[in-house]
């Protein structure tokens, strides 16, 4: 197992290790850079399992991204995707991103199966901004995150990451949405691309704010 200790999770790129129960709000305008950083948090190590809600990517593409962050991570992950079809490789589809009740039930079932299969649990949503764009009221998103996604992280003593493309049109003010979401998450990581394969991360948590340069 590659977890650092019983109550910490290894995350490369100077983001971790992260304490169990940590939730990360990941923001930025470059979706490729966001995906790279997202995978580092969500990719499970040996002895861990992960559940990813994918709004724009097919399940196999998500698994490849996780494998790029950590060898074999895709095989240890279940994906709930709004793109593509279900398959026997722990990939399920969600028909309607605006049906947060139905999606929450599917997510909770996958999370329960994953937690029975392994001691360490990771989860993530990529991209949360796509869900927000499907809703008439972003308050529904806040309720879903707090009652389902973040609750699952706390209950399992796992870690989770929610990625938000801040360049997306979500039908409401993005800055206000980010400000509102930050109150529910323990850590905020903002990703700013500084080159074709480089980015600067601004990490804000209980220890203050710091910046790190990473390859993406």
């Amino acid at each position: 197992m590659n977890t650092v200790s019983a109550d910490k999770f290894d995350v490369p790129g100077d983001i971790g290790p992260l304490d169990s129960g940590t939730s990360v709000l990941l923001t930025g305008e470059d979706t490729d850079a966001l995906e790279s950083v997202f995978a580092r948090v969500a990719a499970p190590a040996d002895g861990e399992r992960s559940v990813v809600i994918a709004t724009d990517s097919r399940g196999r593409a998500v698994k490849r991204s996780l494998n790029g962050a950590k060898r074999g991570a895709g095989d240890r992950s279940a994906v709930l995707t709004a793109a593509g079809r279900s398959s026997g490789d722990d990939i399920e589809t969600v028909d309607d991103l605006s049906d947060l009740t139905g999606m929450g039930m599917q997510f909770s079932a996958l999370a329960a199966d994953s937690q029975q299969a392994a001691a360490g649990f990771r989860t993530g949503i990529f991209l949360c901004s796509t869900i927000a764009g499907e809703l008439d009221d972003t308050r529904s998103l806040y309720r879903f995150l707090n009652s389902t996604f973040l609750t699952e992280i706390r209950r399992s003593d796992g870690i989770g990451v929610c990625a938000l493309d801040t360049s997306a049109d979500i039908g409401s003010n993005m800055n206000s949405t980010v400000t509102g979401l930050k109150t529910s998450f323990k850590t905020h990581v903002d990703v700013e691309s500084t080159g074709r394969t480089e980015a600067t991360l601004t990490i804000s948590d209980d220890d203050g704010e710091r910046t790190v340069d990473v390859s993406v």
Side-chain angles (χ1 to χ4, degrees):
M1 183 184 294
N2 291 332
T3 44
V4 174
S5 68
D7 59 351
K8 290 186 182 293
F9 289 77
D10 178 42
V11 178
D14 293 326
I15 302 172
L18 295 179
D19 293 333
S20 60
T22 296
S23 55
V24 179
L25 178 64
L26 183 66
T27 60
E29 297 186 355
D30 186 325
T31 55
D32 289 338
L34 281 175
E35 182 180 14
S36 177
V37 178
F38 174 89
R40 297 174 195 186
V41 181
D46 292 335
E48 299 175 357
R49 292 282 296 179
S50 179
V51 175
V52 173
I53 298 176
T55 60
D56 303 279
S57 302
R58 294 176 181 269
R60 292 186 186 279
V62 173
K63 286 175 173 280
R64 285 195 298 271
S65 178
L66 296 173
N67 283 335
K70 197 166 293 177
R71 183 185 298 273
D75 294 333
R76 299 186 289 268
S77 301
V79 182
L80 182 59
T81 176
R85 300 177 180 178
S86 298
S87 78
D89 298 322
D90 291 323
I91 299 172
E92 294 187 11
T93 57
V94 55
D95 295 328
D96 183 0
L97 285 175
S98 65
D99 179 11
L100 297 183
T101 299
M103 184 166 64
M105 292 175 63
Q106 287 180 273
F107 168 75
S108 294
L110 289 173
D113 289 343
S114 295
Q115 291 164 38
Q116 288 179 356
F121 177 69
R122 304 189 189 212
T123 187
I125 303 175
F126 190 88
L127 292 155
C128 199
S129 44
T130 305
I131 299 175
E134 295 290 325
L135 302 174
D136 294 328
D137 188 345
T138 54
R139 286 177 296 183
S140 299
L141 176 61
Y142 299 148
R143 286 193 293 270
F144 168 74
L145 291 173
N146 281 288
S147 65
T148 303
F149 182 73
L150 295 172
T151 295
E152 200 65 60
I153 295 170
R154 290 189 293 267
R155 180 188 296 127
S156 65
D157 285 328
I159 61 171
V161 53
C162 177
L164 196 74
D165 176 5
T166 53
S167 69
D169 181 4
I170 61 172
S172 60
N173 185 275
M174 179 61 76
N175 289 334
S176 296
T177 299
V178 171
T179 298
L181 290 174
K182 283 167 63 176
T183 63
S184 298
F185 286 78
K186 184 174 181 180
T187 300
H188 176 218
V189 178
D190 188 68
V191 182
E192 181 181 356
S193 296
T194 55
R196 190 169 62 88
T197 60
E198 298 174 333
T200 296
L201 309 183
T202 302
I203 304 170
S204 304
D205 54 25
D206 292 340
D207 295 326
E209 183 176 289
R210 67 188 188 277
T211 60
V212 295
D213 296 324
V214 297
S215 298
V216 293

